[in-house]
Amino acid sequence: MSSGGSANVHEAPLTLIGYRYSVYNWIVRGVLHHTGTPYRFEDFDPFSQDLDAHPHPFGRVPVLRHGEVTLYETAAICSYVDAIQNASPLMPTGALARARVLQVTSIIDTYGYWPMIRQVFAQRVVRPFEDQEPDENEIAEGLQSSARVLAALEEIAKERVVLSGDELTLANCHLGPMMSYFCRAPEGASALQDYPALSRWWSQILNRQFLRDTDPLSNGPA
Ligand SMILES: N[C@@H](CCC(=O)N[C@@H](CS)C(=O)NCC(=O)O)C(=O)O
């Protein structure tokens, strides 16, 4: 153990327990990939597998194990991975930039995940993939709720402290997979076009290596 109370990355192996298609799993994998952190992947589908022995008190994924450390909540896991290399290159140093990173992460988790991923992406993209009919009402409702999220993120992108597209921070790592899944629904991609600063940010981020190399729909889970 280091003096910071975390297991040394070089001494203890990291295990990521996640569902291969989960957007949150993708976020963590992007950060692990970008920071060059080696890890082992354990695929766990929280929607269909037995949760009794699953080490997440709310039955979700992802969970990170590092020696004796068990961590859940994606933002906490990403911050930990970014910090265990004693560098934290993905967290900016300025007071406002740090706050904006946390704000973007919180906006997308609290207000964005459900409409953008569970309503728009899951209904339009995942259900047909599973030979199921999408629920058009869910999609319409999801798009309506997403508009407020996109408008809030547009204001942050306009400011260009974070989401400028030039920098790589935990905000990009968190929002990138969410935006990628959202835009795979044609309605999602078209909704984004109403927000020029956010669209500009997305056009500069979508081909970044950390996203491309970890994309669950075009690459393996680990
Ligand atoms: N607040 C959690 C959210 C994680 C989450 O919702 N993961 C989804 C997969 S993308 C999940 O495990 N869902 C299972 C369920 O809803 O039962 C985090 O930040 O890690």
Side-chain angles (χ1 to χ4, degrees), residues 22-24 46-47 60-62 73-74 113 118:
S22 151
V23 72
Y24 282 110
F47 299 101
R60 305 282 177 113
V61 290
E73 294 303 301
T74 300
Y113 169 67
R118 295 293 287 268

Side-chain angles (χ1 to χ4, degrees), residues 18-19 21-28 44-48 51 54 56 58-63 72-77 105 109-110 113-114 117-118 174 178 181:
Y19 178 42
Y21 299 117
S22 151
V23 72
Y24 282 110
N25 188 60
W26 185 6
I27 293 168
V28 174
F44 181 85
D45 179 353
F47 299 101
S48 66
L51 292 170
H54 181 52
H56 192 305
F58 303 99
R60 305 282 177 113
V61 290
V63 175
Y72 58 87
E73 294 303 301
T74 300
I77 294 172
T105 305
D109 283 353
T110 311
Y113 169 67
W114 192 265
I117 305 302
R118 295 293 287 268
H174 215 89
M178 296 267 185
Y181 270 1

Side-chain angles (χ1 to χ4, degrees), residues 27 36 50 69 73 93 120 141 166 184 194 196 199 210 215 222:
I27 293 168
D50 183 6
V69 172
E73 294 303 301
T93 50
V120 176
E141 199 181 290
D166 305 326
R184 279 171 217 211
D194 292 340
S199 294
F210 80 100
D215 185 338

Side-chain angles (χ1 to χ4, degrees), residues 116 123 154 156 209 214:
M116 292 169 71
Q123 291 293 334
E154 172 74 4
I156 293 174
Q209 205 78 33
T214 54

Side-chain angles (χ1 to χ4, degrees), residues 89-92 101 161-163 167-174 210:
L90 292 171
M91 182 53 102
V101 165
V161 172
V162 298
L163 304 188
E167 87 297 6
L168 193 57
T169 67
L170 289 171
N172 295 316
C173 294
H174 215 89
F210 80 100

